[in-house]
Amino acid sequence: MMLKEMQKLPEAVQLIEKASTMYLENGTPDTAAMALERAGKLIENVDPEKAVQLYQQTANVFENEERLRQAVELLGKASRLLVRGRRFDEAALSIQKEKNIYKEIENYPTCYKKTIAQVLVHLHRNDYVAAERCVRESYSIPGFNGSEDCAALEQLLEGYDQQDQDQVCEVCSSPLFKYMDNDYAKLGLTLVVPGGGVKKKAAASPQPTPAGAPAAEEEEDEYAGGLC
């Protein structure tokens, strides 16, 4: 994008916001929501903070119209941007809103995924208590208890609590975590247990290395592309 165009973006977004207000006043919320979402997409790479605000506004418009599926999709965009900007306190609240809506529309499997996202965000905030509470509260969601998501989260929390980086890495490298939205998958791969991620199991007596084999190769692979 040309520099001049980038400088004009905030002005363009401001005009779109004014237009959306007029659409709302004239009783055309759909058009208002479309305008706000378009503005969010326009400015996302230049001013993510503003984009979050626009996506949240769009979600509110949809929610007021009881179009919850569209609302939750926009909240999801806001949550991912907040995570990308490492604004974890706000991200945790945003994901909780998503989860509440998915629960309301009875999309329970997505609630499980949002619980994983929440737990990762809370652990990056160094708030183990909030992460554990998240899992505990999710037991009330039909089918969560006994799901692979629940089992993985219990294992993750146990590893984190015991400062076992191996166990944390094992969970966060599993397909369940790796194939989440990229922003959440990255949170998993960079999660360090309290105490700086000293690998407990690495303390076991090392296996003898065959002559000529590179000793540190396995360790390097494990951390390729992230901590885990």
Side-chain angles (χ1 to χ4, degrees):
M1 193 181 281
M2 299 283 287
L3 184 63
K4 274 187 178 177
E5 288 175 350
M6 283 173 68
Q7 286 168 341
K8 285 179 182 174
L9 268 180
E11 198 182 324
V13 166
Q14 215 171 3
L15 290 170
I16 295 172
E17 281 186 281
K18 277 184 185 173
S20 74
T21 304
M22 287 166 71
Y23 289 135
L24 281 172
E25 286 168 0
N26 291 326
T28 51
D30 276 14
T31 316
M34 278 166 61
L36 287 168
E37 185 178 1
R38 193 173 298 138
K41 282 178 184 168
L42 269 177
I43 206 155
E44 191 174 299
N45 294 323
V46 180
D47 186 351
E49 200 166 322
K50 182 65 180 173
V52 165
Q53 187 192 324
L54 289 162
Y55 288 146
Q56 287 172 336
Q57 279 177 260
T58 315
N60 285 340
V61 173
F62 280 132
E63 207 172 343
N64 290 338
E65 294 301 301
E66 295 185 358
R67 292 175 60 181
L68 297 182
R69 282 178 175 81
Q70 284 93 333
V72 79
E73 194 183 316
L74 270 298
L75 282 173
K77 287 185 179 187
S79 299
R80 289 191 292 276
L81 278 180
L82 288 166
V83 165
R84 212 171 299 166
R86 304 191 74 77
R87 292 160 64 190
F88 293 134
D89 289 2
E90 292 165 84
L93 293 171
S94 184
I95 297 166
Q96 183 60 50
K97 276 187 187 174
E98 284 185 73
K99 195 166 145 185
N100 291 344
I101 293 179
Y102 279 118
K103 199 171 174 183
E104 198 175 328
I105 61 178
E106 298 184 1
N107 184 342
Y108 300 128
T110 305
C111 286
Y112 312 161
K113 301 290 173 260
K114 294 300 163 189
T115 304
I116 293 178
Q118 270 184 312
V119 166
L120 288 170
V121 166
H122 283 313
L123 292 180
H124 271 271
R125 292 174 62 237
N126 300 313
D127 193 341
Y128 175 83
V129 174
E132 192 183 34
R133 186 170 61 242
C134 248
V135 175
R136 207 168 51 240
E137 286 172 356
S138 295
Y139 289 138
S140 65
I141 299 167
F144 177 73
N145 199 359
S147 67
E148 63 170 339
D149 307 71
C150 177
L153 283 172
E154 285 172 349
Q155 206 183 343
L156 174 64
L157 288 175
E158 180 189 62
Y160 189 88
D161 190 39
Q162 293 178 2
Q163 300 183 16
D164 184 342
Q165 188 68 48
D166 272 354
Q167 186 166 322
V168 167
C169 280
E170 193 181 319
V171 176
C172 291
S173 302
S174 68
L176 191 64
F177 281 66
K178 270 167 73 174
Y179 299 124
M180 292 181 76
D181 283 318
N182 203 28
D183 293 295
Y184 300 121
K186 279 180 184 173
L187 287 187
L189 292 172
T190 55
L191 186 60
V192 183
V193 299
V198 178
K199 301 182 79 188
K200 281 192 170 182
K201 291 177 188 174
S205 56
Q207 296 296 310
T209 308
E217 189 180 358
E218 191 183 327
E219 195 70 17
E220 280 173 20
D221 280 354
E222 190 175 351
Y223 290 99
L227 183 74
C228 296

